[in-house]
Amino acid sequence: MTHAYRSHTCGQLGIDHAGQDIRLSGWVHRVRDHGGLLFIDLRDHYGLTQIVIDPASSAFKMAEKVRSEWVIRVDGKVQPRPAGTENHELPTGLIEIAAREITVHSEARELPLPVFGDTEYPEDIRLKYRFLDLRRERIHNNIMKRGAIIDSLRARMKGQGFFEFQTPILTASSPEGARDYLVPSRVHPGKFYALPQAPQQFKQLLMMSGFDRYFQIAPCFRDEDARADRSPGEFYQLDIEMSFVTQEDVFEAVEPVLRGVFEEFGGGLPVTQKFPHIAFKDSIRWYGTDKPDLRNPIKMQAVTQHFAGSGFKVFAGMIASDPKVEVWAIPVKGGGSRAFCDRMNSWAQGQGQPGLGYVFWRELGDSVVDEQLARAFALVAETPQGRKLVAESGGAVPGVGTKLSAVDTAILNFGLQKLQLEGKLHEAASWWSKYMESAGPIAKNIGPERTEAIRNQLGLNVGDAVFFVAGVPAKFYKFAGEARTKAGEEMNLIAKDQFAFCWIVDFPMYEWNEDEKKVDFSHNPFSMPQGGLEALETRDPLTINAYQYDIVCNGVELSSGAIRNHKPDVMKKAFEIAGYPEDVIIEKFGGMYRAFQYGAPPHGGIAPGVDRIVMLLCNEPNIREVVLFPMNQQAEDLLMGAPSEATPKQLRELHIRLNLPEA
RNA sequence: GCGGGAGUAGCUCAGUUGGUUAGAGCGUCGCCCUGUCACGGCGAAGGUCGCGGGUUCGAGCCCCGUCUCUCGCGCCA
């Protein structure tokens, strides 16, 4: 026994070690004192080992003294546990250590935060005692998984010929974007460095320096308020940039990295194999957001024409008064009950909306097949799909006088759809009135034919519902998206247990700033506009898209990227449209603008957020569960006590005098 | 900056219509206990009910203000 602290770790010993004299060091996880016999679960980074102390043991006196989270050393012999007392939950559960001697490395005071167990604790206490919190199994594992994920990301990037670079932390403030963290310069009174919001300009400069394929696990600093999925202050990106690439080349480089890492660490959950491309415009229209959760099957559609000139005066009037007004439908399979529709309606009211109009479809009670329907069933049964349905209903076409069953309803629905395809809306509507009904105030107002047309367009059946949102889409799409999410959650339609990825592409280059009545860059000002200089010179800026894209997974925006604008004349024009003359470009982006003048390769990149990737893979709803020492919502580090006051000497050196707000 | 939720023992929480001495579990301390692994049993200590004000004979509970944490909005090219 030569090592001062341990011969093995607490996760290492098994039945093969039985009989060996060993030495372990670790934390006292849990003590079970039986008076005569005493057990200690000893924990280190690697695992848990049961120590057993017999009253006859020389270690017994000390064993009775130790408490949770003391750090101790145990000398003893590995022995198989007596038959029947093995713990198969524990990797080391077949053995235990018969202690001969226990020495205390370090005692622990009464804990503000128990390590044992998985109770929730208040965040401020967890952050103040983060070192204790980090001993706890779940977050300890999260942090280790984070490291493994980053290793894997690195290996996958290097495997594709990317090279890792380090870019400056103290750099220049950049306009637009988030608020910068500033660092005062001692040497240059009154001047400040800024911490990089992202190494955006540096990675582009690397391309202009001829390095071709850059990546970095890059720290980024933004002085913005926190969210559950957004740390205040700092976070990490897998920052990527490539030369001589189109948008497709970037997708092909990044997709396998993300797919691979999600397959490797996603606990075997299925991962989208080929990420679908969804245009920004479509994403808004279908999902009401530019970060859609594709696990939710609900896809919205415009049904404006069915309301134009209809008896539902509220919508019809809006449509007549403004050509921009649309009515969007949120179809909800299985949502066809009064209770659910009312619940959605009152939820909408809670969101400050006037309500949520709906239609749902149900069978008329005690519907019986009449001659007309029996004839229709016979016709339907001739078609392949009809044959299948009839087979499911028991092989017989329902005859006159029989009661409608659930499967008959499916046949009926199929027949109705056929009628509609043939344009026989009137006949379809008359069927409805006989065997089924549409419920909800809107159905009554617009009448059976329009209701039936909506049902058909959305492919809905008995037992389904649809909700309507009307107005100018730009103003209501967000709420529509929330209603889609709400309905999906309420009806349990969201297929959890998968990673559903997509690319959102064709982001608009500019957007209208209503406050300042001007055109703004809607995302990255360095993005290449689709159509290049010609588009900038000839088209309405608000209709121009950029080669700008996002990756979204399960409704979480994982990253944003773009093909960059590497042409000085295009850049000059692009900034001019947003109201920035050339001297502003030179002042704010001088280094990069200069580089563009001396041979810039076409290039582009992307920057997936590492913390969010880890969060998804650890199945954590909060980013602080995957960050070692996060700050709280007020951007304070409660453990280190940051931010803190500077001494007068420090301030003097920095030429700074405080001008504090009145208390 | 704004809105929602929370704040009761070291920790997790309960606390009825405003009514006697504010409870439980975990933890801590003491005693008992030789096969537990969320060990068990008995007992004890531990409370500015976030803070301040108000209503009331009486406030953990009602009202006003305020602080802290959190979720969201704003913000995040």
Side-chain angles (χ1 to χ4, degrees):
Chain A
M1 189 96 37
T2 49
H3 194 276
Y5 302 122
R6 63 186 177 192
S7 62
H8 297 79
T9 71
C10 295
Q12 204 177 354
L13 296 168
I15 200 76
D16 294 343
H17 298 88
Q20 291 186 20
D21 276 316
I22 57 91
R23 169 173 283 178
L24 296 179
S25 281
W27 284 263
V28 174
H29 190 59
R30 193 96 174 136
V31 179
R32 290 178 296 279
D33 186 350
H34 290 235
L37 194 65
L38 194 149
F39 298 97
I40 295 172
D41 287 337
L42 193 67
R43 184 195 74 237
D44 66 9
H45 173 73
Y46 303 96
L48 213 59
T49 300
Q50 174 165 283
I51 315 296
V52 59
I53 304 102
D54 193 271
S57 162
S58 45
F60 193 75
K61 211 170 156 205
M62 183 57 83
E64 281 187 304
K65 258 183 72 182
V66 303
R67 291 291 173 268
S68 287
E69 298 308 308
W70 287 27
V71 182
I72 62 171
R73 185 182 76 188
V74 175
D75 289 339
K77 191 185 282 273
V78 182
Q79 62 188 29
R81 295 200 190 182
T85 67
E86 301 90 348
N87 184 347
H88 297 284
E89 308 279 298
L90 213 59
T92 61
L94 295 182
I95 54 99
E96 60 193 5
I97 310 301
R100 183 177 58 248
E101 189 185 348
I102 293 176
T103 39
V104 174
H105 291 311
S106 167
E107 298 185 5
R109 294 163 45 168
E110 186 176 349
L111 303 168
L113 178 81
V115 173
F116 172 80
D118 53 4
T119 325
E120 302 271 354
Y121 295 100
E123 195 109 23
D124 44 348
I125 291 178
R126 291 182 57 193
L127 294 181
K128 185 171 174 190
Y129 297 95
R130 192 60 160 179
F131 48 87
L132 282 177
D133 194 30
L134 286 166
R135 290 180 198 169
R136 304 176 73 211
E137 191 176 10
R138 178 161 142 197
I139 191 164
H140 201 88
N141 289 344
N142 284 354
I143 297 300
M144 292 304 290
K145 190 165 180 176
R146 179 190 175 107
I149 289 167
I150 290 175
D151 281 351
S152 177
L153 288 172
R154 274 211 171 87
R156 287 168 196 276
M157 291 306 292
K158 287 180 180 171
Q160 289 202 56
F162 287 87
F163 194 80
E164 187 165 14
F165 296 79
Q166 292 75 48
T167 52
I169 299 298
L170 291 175
T171 180
S173 177
S174 71
E176 307 242 355
R179 205 174 292 114
D180 284 319
Y181 277 102
L182 295 177
V183 179
S185 163
R186 172 183 58 82
V187 183
H188 301 279
K191 291 189 175 176
F192 295 82
Y193 303 94
L195 305 183
Q197 296 182 22
Q200 180 67 33
Q201 295 188 62
F202 288 116
K203 69 176 177 177
Q204 291 193 240
L205 284 164
L206 283 169
M207 296 302 100
M208 289 176 247
S209 309
F211 286 109
D212 204 69
R213 291 196 148 203
Y214 148 96
F215 89 98
Q216 179 178 197
I217 308 293
C220 304
F221 306 90
R222 296 179 190 174
D223 186 0
E224 297 294 341
D225 289 332
R227 291 289 181 276
D229 63 352
R230 200 166 82 201
S231 304
E234 53 190 78
F235 59 95
Y236 285 82
Q237 289 182 337
L238 169 60
D239 200 34
I240 298 171
E241 198 74 5
M242 320 160 68
S243 284
F244 305 108
V245 290
T246 63
Q247 183 167 293
E248 283 302 319
D249 295 321
V250 176
F251 291 179
E252 297 209 347
V254 174
E255 227 177 280
V257 172
L258 288 186
R259 188 169 54 236
V261 100
F262 273 75
E263 282 173 343
E264 183 179 356
F265 295 97
L269 298 187
V271 181
T272 309
Q273 285 305 296
K274 177 72 191 154
F275 301 1
H277 299 187
I278 301 172
F280 170 82
K281 209 193 267 179
D282 291 333
S283 182
I284 298 291
R285 179 164 288 273
W286 297 340
Y287 311 112
T289 172
D290 62 357
K291 37 183 182 180
D293 186 348
L294 295 181
R295 296 174 305 169
N296 181 344
I298 297 174
K299 197 167 167 180
M300 301 188 290
Q301 292 186 30
V303 290
T304 317
Q305 78 275 15
H306 303 306
F307 284 94
S310 75
F312 190 53
K313 297 297 180 206
V314 185
F315 285 9
M318 289 166 79
I319 294 165
S321 70
D322 184 347
K324 277 196 245 165
V325 165
E326 295 184 18
V327 180
W328 287 9
I330 308 166
V332 184
K333 297 252 186 219
S337 76
R338 178 80 63 188
F340 170 68
C341 291
D342 284 348
R343 204 155 66 235
M344 286 297 291
N345 188 52
S346 48
W347 166 81
Q349 285 167 348
Q351 301 292 302
Q353 300 290 327
L356 200 51
Y358 58 83
V359 173
F360 68 93
W361 289 275
R362 61 186 173 198
E363 278 176 62
L364 273 178
D366 299 325
S367 292
V368 170
V369 178
D370 69 0
E371 275 183 35
Q372 182 201 19
L373 186 56
R375 265 200 312 279
F377 275 166
L379 283 176
V380 167
E382 298 295 307
T383 66
Q385 173 73 13
R387 258 196 298 281
K388 208 179 129 214
L389 289 168
V390 170
E392 281 169 23
S393 80
V397 179
V400 177
T402 57
K403 230 183 126 189
L404 273 180
S405 72
V407 186
D408 299 335
T409 303
I411 303 176
L412 186 54
N413 272 315
F414 174 69
L416 283 165
Q417 273 161 30
K418 207 158 164 286
L419 279 181
Q420 278 156 338
L421 281 177
E422 292 161 8
K424 298 174 182 165
L425 285 184
H426 198 76
E427 197 174 334
S430 88
W431 277 35
W432 267 105
S433 58
K434 241 185 242 176
Y435 305 105
M436 306 173 193
E437 62 176 351
S438 44
I442 286 186
K444 289 192 180 65
N445 280 310
I446 64 176
E449 284 182 35
R450 286 173 184 268
T451 306
E452 183 54 13
I454 290 170
R455 191 191 70 82
N456 188 53
Q457 180 187 330
L458 300 171
L460 296 177
N461 276 328
V462 163
D464 298 340
V466 57
F467 298 89
F468 300 101
V469 186
V472 177
K475 294 201 173 145
F476 74 64
Y477 76 86
K478 227 177 200 169
F479 167 70
E482 285 163 11
R484 168 184 177 267
T485 303
K486 178 75 181 169
E489 283 169 355
E490 286 275 321
M491 290 313 298
N492 244 329
L493 297 176
I494 297 170
K496 302 215 164 77
D497 296 338
Q498 59 167 319
F499 294 106
F501 279 90
C502 62
W503 291 99
I504 306 296
V505 299
D506 300 335
F507 276 83
M509 181 85 187
Y510 298 103
E511 65 192 13
W512 182 249
N513 182 329
E514 189 56 42
D515 295 338
E516 296 174 35
K517 305 285 181 206
K518 68 180 271 283
V519 169
D520 268 351
F521 288 112
S522 70
H523 289 274
N524 186 325
F526 307 121
S527 300
M528 181 67 96
Q530 294 184 18
L533 191 57
E534 197 199 327
L536 293 180
E537 280 173 343
T538 59
R539 287 172 50 189
D540 173 1
L542 296 175
T543 67
I544 298 172
N545 287 337
Y547 288 110
Q548 159 96 37
Y549 35 83
D550 280 3
I551 290 182
V552 175
C553 176
N554 292 359
V556 177
E557 182 192 317
L558 278 190
S559 76
S560 208
I563 296 299
R564 320 296 175 189
N565 185 347
H566 67 283
K567 298 183 173 179
D569 53 335
V570 182
M571 179 174 265
K572 218 170 104 181
K573 183 71 191 168
F575 274 79
E576 189 187 307
I577 289 173
Y580 301 105
E582 188 181 12
D583 52 332
V584 172
I585 313 180
I586 293 170
E587 186 198 330
K588 299 298 185 184
F589 310 106
M592 206 164 68
Y593 194 59
R594 195 181 317 139
F596 283 137
Q597 322 287 330
Y598 295 93
H603 62 288
I606 195 163
V610 169
D611 309 82
R612 285 188 185 169
I613 290 173
V614 176
M615 197 173 129
L616 281 173
L617 290 172
C618 290
N619 195 25
E620 292 286 0
N622 188 307
I623 206 158
R624 293 183 296 277
E625 302 299 329
V626 299
V627 175
L628 271 175
F629 298 105
M631 296 197 284
N632 68 7
Q633 200 164 41
Q634 276 62 247
E636 297 166 301
D637 181 334
L638 297 175
L639 176 58
M640 302 302 286
S644 57
E645 286 170 0
T647 64
K649 177 165 180 279
Q650 288 174 314
L651 291 175
R652 255 195 322 276
E653 280 180 338
L654 295 169
H655 323 287
I656 285 178
R657 189 177 303 139
L658 298 179
N659 177 17
L660 300 174
E662 303 286 326

